[in-house]
Amino acid sequence: GGTLVIAFAGADANLGGGIQGGVPSHEFVASCRRAGVQHAIFVRDAMRAWYVRGLGGSGGSTFDGALELLRAEVAAVRPARLVTMGSSMGGYAAARAGIALGADAAVAFSPQVLVSPAARRDMSLPAAPFDSLLEGLELACDAEGLHAASLVEAVREAPAGVRTLLEVHVGEDAPGDVAEAELLLEAVRERAGGSGEEDIRCEMTRHAGRDHNLVTDMRDTGELHELLCRVLAPPSTAASEGDSGEGIPHEFVGFAECSDF
């Protein structure tokens, strides 16, 4: 029961940031506890390959392999609510895994929607510090026979019945991030096709005066904590107790993927 949050680290091994910056895992864990979350998994991709090459070991060598490991953890916890979360590279993984796992919500800060260097060039996206990592990922995928699917593909190919809410946050001072988020929003609209049926949903929030590393700014202003309380706390707790700190479970269970537990 309760809420299980799966947080995907970015290229800097933190929640957020591009190559540097972000929220360290121990800080994020503390935020989860304050939000009333009892179960959390913090996942890192040591290869900085957008999780496309898996997690190694029991996490396999493909994105699907990583998903199988996470599915086993979800099955063991049997949460009432599942939320994935991440920023930048982790935001890509949070959205893609959230859809695949049928999460209730996937919260992505400044996610890469396109991970193909060619596709990014075709969109005339601004140069980014992680471009060299994406070039390396492309070479690795070619050598290993892997496909780095875009989030547009993830939305289009998701099976019927997925009800995941994609909550995307981008900084207006990062026009490339805004353009990619709009691309994801359009893919979700196209999937709906005007049918009006509930399916994958996407909500985009543009933060004025913020750049790619907006999650760090949100931490410093307290906005991240407020967001976590809203998204992660069980509905009854959020409605009746707000941010009072009462009713937070006495036991917090972490998993081996995060050394800070």
Side-chain angles (χ1 to χ4, degrees):
T3 299
L4 168 62
V5 56
I6 303 176
F8 294 87
D12 54 6
N14 291 332
L15 182 82
I19 303 300
Q20 298 179 346
V23 179
S25 54
H26 68 274
E27 289 188 20
F28 180 72
V29 167
S31 295
C32 286
R33 296 186 68 154
R34 289 195 299 271
V37 175
Q38 185 177 0
H39 302 281
I41 304 173
F42 199 101
V43 190
R44 297 187 180 112
D45 179 0
M47 293 178 286
R48 303 203 293 182
W50 277 255
Y51 299 85
V52 171
R53 302 176 69 193
L55 299 174
S58 59
S61 57
T62 65
F63 196 91
D64 287 341
L67 287 175
E68 287 306 308
L69 175 65
L70 294 173
R71 284 193 180 97
E73 297 286 13
V74 173
V77 175
R78 299 175 63 185
R81 178 172 173 78
L82 175 62
V83 178
T84 58
M85 182 172 292
S87 178
S88 194
M89 181 181 82
Y92 163 86
R96 185 175 171 187
I99 292 171
L101 295 172
D104 295 280
V107 183
F109 303 92
S110 311
Q112 286 79 57
V113 174
L114 303 176
V115 290
S116 161
R120 297 179 68 83
R121 286 192 294 269
D122 289 344
M123 269 199 70
S124 299
L125 292 174
F130 49 77
D131 284 344
S132 61
L133 294 178
L134 287 175
E135 296 284 354
L137 174 61
E138 183 176 53
L139 293 174
C141 287
D142 289 343
E144 299 170 16
L146 301 175
H147 175 58
S150 70
L151 294 185
V152 171
E153 292 175 84
V155 168
R156 290 175 178 171
E157 297 172 6
V162 175
R163 298 290 185 267
T164 302
L165 168 63
L166 303 176
E167 182 173 325
V168 182
H169 295 261
V170 293
E172 288 192 341
D173 290 352
D177 291 349
V178 174
E180 289 195 78
E182 290 175 340
L183 188 66
L184 179 60
L185 189 63
E186 182 59 30
V188 171
R189 288 171 177 162
E190 289 180 0
R191 178 181 171 89
S195 64
E197 296 182 6
E198 285 192 6
D199 199 78
I200 298 174
R201 293 164 293 144
C202 185
E203 297 177 357
M204 179 177 69
T205 301
R206 297 168 58 152
H207 297 260
R210 301 280 171 78
D211 58 16
H212 185 72
N213 197 23
L214 81 160
V215 70
T216 302
D217 293 334
M218 293 178 69
R219 175 202 61 187
D220 295 342
T221 62
E223 294 170 82
L224 180 61
H225 175 64
E226 293 176 3
L227 183 151
L228 290 174
C229 287
R230 172 176 58 80
V231 175
L232 302 183
S236 58
T237 301
S240 62
E241 296 163 5
D243 191 26
S244 66
E246 300 177 1
I248 294 178
H250 294 293
E251 180 185 10
F252 182 81
V253 182
F255 293 82
E257 282 77 11
C258 177
S259 59
D260 293 307
F261 290 126

